[in-house]
Amino acid sequence: MSETFHPIVAESDFPEEGKIAARLEGWSVLVVKTDDGFRAVNDRCTHQAALLSPGRVRRGAIMCPLHGARFEAATGRCIGGAYADLRVFPLRIENGMIEVAVPDTAPGPDERPVGV
Ligand code: FES
């Protein structure tokens, strides 16, 4: 499956709250800032498909705002709850711009968050 990098935001303009959501080729993407750098995941909880972007990000973990599942941003691994891991997208910084790669094909129904 091919994928393409898309610009999100300049690193210098990254929001102070430590997260930003974007739509890329139909994918809902959540980019978070951790102590180890920026990470990008599918903005969809693996429990009941809620958007994760309204949730909190603390100590490298993303917390689902609906029922509180937690996911490690770096790996997508579920660390609070017994749910599947998040899909992690490749991220790079090119000339100060944060870029995320998503598949060139649109997400299927089980990869899209509720209401999107
Ligand atoms: S939808 Fe995220 S924990 Fe239930």
Side-chain angles (χ1 to χ4, degrees):
M1 179 186 296
S2 63
E3 56 190 23
T4 304
F5 277 94
H6 302 268
I8 301 283
V9 65
E11 186 177 5
S12 59
D13 292 335
F14 200 81
E16 281 185 24
E17 63 180 325
K19 61 182 180 178
I20 190 169
R23 292 288 302 280
L24 303 174
E25 304 292 333
W27 291 89
S28 296
V29 176
L30 172 62
V31 179
V32 301
K33 186 175 186 178
T34 74
D35 289 344
D36 296 324
F38 297 98
R39 309 292 183 180
V41 299
N42 195 12
D43 190 1
R44 175 192 184 277
C45 182
T46 54
H47 176 216
Q48 289 184 352
L51 275 171
L52 292 168
S53 46
R56 291 187 306 169
V57 178
R58 281 180 50 192
R59 296 192 204 108
I62 301 162
M63 181 177 287
C64 178
L66 199 52
H67 308 110
R70 288 188 308 126
F71 300 90
E72 189 177 66
T75 63
R77 189 168 59 96
C78 184
I79 54 175
Y83 309 117
D85 297 343
L86 298 179
R87 182 176 190 143
V88 176
F89 297 116
L91 183 149
R92 70 184 183 190
I93 298 176
E94 288 282 310
N95 299 318
M97 181 66 69
I98 297 170
E99 299 180 348
V100 173
V102 295
D104 294 330
T105 54
D110 59 346
E111 295 170 304
R112 288 194 301 262
V114 169
V116 174

